[in-house]
Amino acid sequence: MAKSDDYVHILQGLLVFGNVVIGMCGIALTAECIYFVSNPHGLYPLLKATENNDIYAAAWIGIFVGLALFALSILGIIGVIKASRTLLLVYIILMLITFAFEMASCITAATHRDSLTPSVFLKQMLERYQKSEPASNSDKELTKTWDELMLQNHCCGVLGPSDWQEYTSAFRLTHNDADYPWPRKCCVLDAQGLPVNLDGCKLGVPGYYNSNGCYGAISGPVNTHAWGVAWFGFAILCWTFCVLLGTMFYWSGIEY
Amino acid sequence: TMLPLLLLLLPAAHAVVELPYRPALTQTPPLEGLTTASTFVLDQPRCVFEGYDNADIWLVVALDKAASTFNNTAVPGTSETAFQGFPGRVPAYMTLNATLANYPCPTPAGDITVLRVGSETSCATDEARPTCNGPLPGPGPYRVKFLALQGSEPVAETDWSAPITLRTAKSPSSIATTGSGHSAGMIAITTILSILFAILLAGLVAMLVFWGSDSCGGSSTFSKPESVTVRRYNTHHVYDQPASRL
């Protein structure tokens, strides 16, 4: 009997440890998702304009799942120590519901990330950047976001300044090709925000214009966001799976 | 007999010198805007028109098919060579007037010496400016050559350039945004999580079935009697047993 007691204590200890880890990971998940939702790189208007901001929905779900995991882990610890069948049953069922939500969040984040190809941003930029009337609020937001993106990252267009030459655009409707082969923000600007050499920029002389595309500057943060939510959530769920299996095993052995 | 000889010499004195130079798009440095939808960039004709200090050097721009019909006696600044009538009424226009002083020879190292054809947008529809260097109206192809005029007499010309075709822009609706595949990571996450969730649901169902048939359920899972039998966690009982044996 003493031996079985040891095993019981070991199992209890493992379950308590598992729940502690779940609680801490829940807090970490909440913190990470709050960080993403706070839009640190200013890319939210671009994603909103794709008519599909699932990545943000996934982050919002992550916040609440994280808090739920923390609360449930405390319930789990109490249930294991007290060896109470009802508490543990409630714990298992609520954990399964949380598992389902977190699973949805991970899959959504990963799927949405896959749909954000350069073509999506290119088409959006060409159709809406500097769109003249009728320009909705989201168009103006998008223009502002692109201007800041090009300014801060010293880049132009999605794949390069040739985007503005290869395709017609809303920008092209109001800015003729000879004066504006590409937007002024693509030029190397001085401290006052004026092009250092306007003719050099219009000609495309290396050094007076930004020749890189901005896709790298967009996909970097979006990837971090999506994979942060998806893979961290996946890791938590794998651990939770093990703890839940252990709890089910423990529960079925409790006599009441 | 002298008169016919003099008459023969006169046309030779008025012949236009053909310089062995072909205008070309700028190759160095590499320019992003070498050809756009309405402009293109040529090298300046440096060290080409040596000796023609008093001549005006004009750039003649013509559609590819109209190049052969251009007459060197055309006068720049008239309606027959006005940019505003190009290409409908005017088969070739003359622009970018310069003298040899604008093209010093040799080129200082490090200087970018180019001519941007099509850069003046302000006079594109101004009939009072027939020599406007306005944006080209279509993708071409175009051919250009330089012509040196002394007074109103053509004295020297270069070859016609190779045909220059400008860029044509496509519509953004032609960009395909659907059909991107699913990445391996997304597929892995979906399948593994689905399997784990299914196992947990099965476990929950098994648990509830256990509860339903609870009388013999508890101990039968743990079949080996000498190993873990998580029967009772009532510590009182464990401590009581040794006491009762005594």
Side-chain angles (χ1 to χ4, degrees), chain A:
Chain A
M1 281 304 168
K3 214 161 144 206
S4 72
D5 238 7
D6 278 344
Y7 285 129
V8 164
H9 282 136
I10 290 173
L11 185 59
Q12 277 183 320
L14 283 177
L15 288 179
V16 166
F17 171 70
N19 277 298
V20 164
V21 170
I22 289 178
M24 294 194 309
C25 287
I27 299 288
L29 183 68
T30 302
E32 186 196 24
C33 291
I34 289 180
Y35 173 68
F36 287 136
V37 163
S38 71
N39 191 25
H41 294 278
L43 292 174
Y44 183 63
L46 290 185
L47 292 175
K48 197 164 80 145
T50 64
E51 313 281 323
N52 178 4
N53 51 356
D54 281 350
I55 280 191
Y56 280 91
W60 275 107
I61 294 178
I63 293 178
F64 295 113
V65 162
L67 292 174
L69 284 176
F70 178 70
L72 286 179
S73 70
I74 295 178
L75 176 68
I77 292 174
I78 296 173
V80 163
I81 292 178
K82 277 194 169 175
S84 151
R85 273 203 151 193
T86 34
L87 269 185
L88 284 180
L89 187 62
V90 165
Y91 166 80
I92 288 173
I93 292 177
L94 288 180
M95 264 297 202
L96 278 178
I97 295 174
T98 311
F99 191 99
F101 270 101
E102 179 59 17
M103 196 168 95
S105 162
C106 291
I107 294 175
T108 307
T111 310
H112 190 218
R113 166 66 200 90
D114 285 345
S115 75
L116 293 176
T117 54
S119 314
V120 166
F121 291 112
L122 181 63
K123 189 164 183 176
Q124 187 193 81
M125 179 186 81
L126 291 170
E127 288 177 351
R128 301 168 73 160
Y129 176 73
Q130 297 229 13
K131 189 174 174 189
S132 49
E133 68 280 344
S136 64
N137 270 339
S138 70
D139 292 335
K140 295 188 191 133
E141 284 274 331
L142 192 135
T143 302
K144 217 165 74 132
T145 306
W146 267 106
D147 282 338
E148 276 175 25
L149 195 63
M150 293 199 282
L151 200 60
Q152 280 164 8
N153 295 292
H154 305 294
C155 57
C156 183
V158 174
L159 303 169
S162 296
D163 292 344
W164 303 102
Q165 287 294 314
E166 276 179 53
Y167 298 96
T168 59
S169 51
F171 173 77
R172 185 57 65 225
L173 291 176
T174 46
H175 297 80
N176 67 69
D177 171 78
D179 282 333
Y180 296 91
W182 34 76
R184 288 282 183 266
K185 288 282 186 298
C186 293
C187 302
V188 173
L189 302 175
D190 60 17
Q192 278 78 38
L194 298 170
V196 167
N197 186 333
L198 186 58
D199 286 326
C201 179
K202 287 199 253 183
L203 281 173
V205 179
Y208 294 116
Y209 77 109
N210 299 321
S211 52
N212 311 323
C214 296
Y215 183 64
I218 297 173
S219 69
V222 168
N223 273 346
T224 314
H225 176 147
W227 295 129
V229 172
W231 285 110
F232 187 47
F234 177 75
I236 293 177
L237 288 183
C238 287
W239 179 267
T240 309
F241 170 77
C242 297
V243 172
L244 278 180
L245 273 189
T247 312
M248 286 182 187
F249 181 72
Y250 179 76
W251 184 92
S252 60
I254 301 176
E255 265 219 18
Y256 67 99

